[in-house]
Amino acid sequence: MEIDRQQLQNIVREVAQETLLPLYHNVQREYKKDGSIITRADKAVQQALTQRLATVCPEVLLLGEEMPTEAQQSLLDSGKPLWCLDPVDGTSNFATGLPFFSISLALIESGEVKAGIVLDPVRNELFSAVQGQGAWLNDSPLQTEETGLPLKRSIAFVDFKRLPKSLASRIVSDRPYGSQRNLGSIALELCWLAAGRGHIYLHGSQHIWDYAAADLILAEAGGYAQTLQGDAPFSHSLQTRSTYAAVDHALFKQWQHYLAEAVE
């Protein structure tokens, strides 16, 4: 299907301004069965985007994080084009007042991500990509550059709590990079990697709504990514996925070599 990137950007920006940001610093939180936080903003943004997207693409249904697993699986099994939404990626940050969270929206068709949008409403930065057409930060083309850095001098985005314990321990005891960050929004961390604000990335367990849009943005910007099992990062599935990534090919190969030895 044809994608009007500007129209999608406008919709996401408007929902962020009208629905999400007014609830920032006015958080009502609850806890899911797995202990993760859900706020009124998560529900409100998902509802608002479901309604707004239905007016421009009524044939495309929406799979959102804040819906029952059975409904999510049914949508994936339908084979129809889908919006895949994380209404607030980085809910813990949002709920605590940390200004690092995003809205992540991907268009999935025929088992592939065709377009992706990740909006950082605090900084008014919108990352986007269309399959085969490139990536953008706001309206400027987004393209990774060769860093010339060895792995030992790289800045890493690493989420330790979802890694296998043996791998996490190995990385701590045998630090392969220069320094490490965990900023709390999967989508934004991958987009920051695409923008050269970090060099390598590692996460042990991501949901499809966490990574679908940002994975396309990183790939279209020229970055490299793979699961710890050696598969392509995206899967048309609710099964969680690991991802390691790098901003350029040389760093990716060094990171890949280190991780291959570390997980043996």
Side-chain angles (χ1 to χ4, degrees):
M1 61 181 288
E2 291 296 322
I3 300 161
D4 188 332
R5 185 172 60 91
Q6 192 62 55
Q7 185 180 44
L8 289 180
Q9 290 183 165
N10 291 342
I11 288 172
V12 174
R13 284 189 187 277
E14 288 167 7
V15 168
Q17 289 296 321
E18 297 168 5
T19 305
L20 178 58
L21 288 180
L23 295 173
Y24 190 39
H25 298 306
N26 183 26
V27 175
Q28 297 178 8
R29 71 175 75 188
E30 303 171 20
Y31 290 88
K32 303 179 188 179
K33 291 181 179 179
D34 64 1
S36 59
I37 296 173
I38 180 172
T39 70
R40 182 157 57 104
D42 294 87
K43 299 175 182 178
V45 170
Q46 181 162 305
Q47 181 179 19
L49 276 171
T50 299
Q51 294 171 348
R52 291 293 301 277
L53 291 169
T55 66
V56 296
C57 295
E59 73 280 12
V60 183
L61 299 178
L62 185 140
L63 185 160
E65 179 183 8
E66 310 309 335
M67 64 193 309
T69 302
E70 295 78 7
Q72 294 169 340
Q73 189 63 58
S74 178
L75 286 168
L76 283 176
D77 291 343
S78 71
K80 298 178 180 178
L82 298 173
W83 300 114
C84 183
L85 172 68
D86 191 337
V88 185
D89 183 52
T91 299
S92 296
N93 285 353
F94 179 86
T96 311
L98 289 171
F100 195 84
F101 53 87
S102 61
I103 297 175
S104 177
L105 179 70
L107 175 63
I108 300 174
E109 186 177 11
S110 301
E112 297 182 348
V113 182
K114 299 296 186 179
I117 286 176
V118 175
L119 173 66
D120 176 348
V122 175
R123 295 165 189 79
N124 194 28
E125 290 189 332
L126 191 146
F127 300 85
S128 63
V130 177
Q131 187 187 59
Q133 297 182 32
W136 298 265
L137 170 49
N138 293 330
D139 292 321
S140 298
L142 189 62
Q143 182 65 49
T144 61
E145 298 179 357
E146 293 290 328
T147 65
L149 291 173
L151 187 63
K152 274 288 188 182
R153 294 186 180 177
S154 65
I155 293 176
F157 297 135
V158 179
D159 186 317
F160 280 100
K161 66 181 179 289
R162 295 179 178 89
L163 293 177
K165 290 184 178 180
S166 58
L167 175 57
S169 297
R170 168 73 181 271
I171 292 174
V172 170
S173 62
D174 177 26
R175 177 168 54 88
Y177 38 68
S179 60
Q180 175 265 335
R181 315 282 189 270
N182 177 213
L183 303 178
S185 168
I186 290 168
L188 269 187
E189 287 187 357
L190 286 168
C191 288
W192 277 30
L193 194 71
R197 298 172 186 173
H199 305 122
I200 62 173
Y201 174 90
L202 177 62
H203 199 290
S205 181
Q206 307 171 129
H207 291 95
I208 189 171
W209 48 79
D210 294 321
Y211 70 83
D215 176 65
L216 179 67
I217 292 165
L218 177 61
E220 288 291 328
Y224 297 82
Q226 195 168 276
T227 71
L228 288 169
Q229 292 71 39
D231 301 318
F234 179 75
S235 174
H236 192 254
S237 164
L238 293 181
Q239 187 70 36
T240 57
R241 309 274 284 180
S242 62
T243 293
Y244 70 93
V247 72
D248 65 43
H249 188 255
L251 273 176
F252 181 76
K253 296 304 290 184
Q254 293 176 64
W255 193 211
Q256 183 180 57
H257 178 74
Y258 175 88
L259 291 171
E261 290 188 338
V263 298
E264 287 180 352

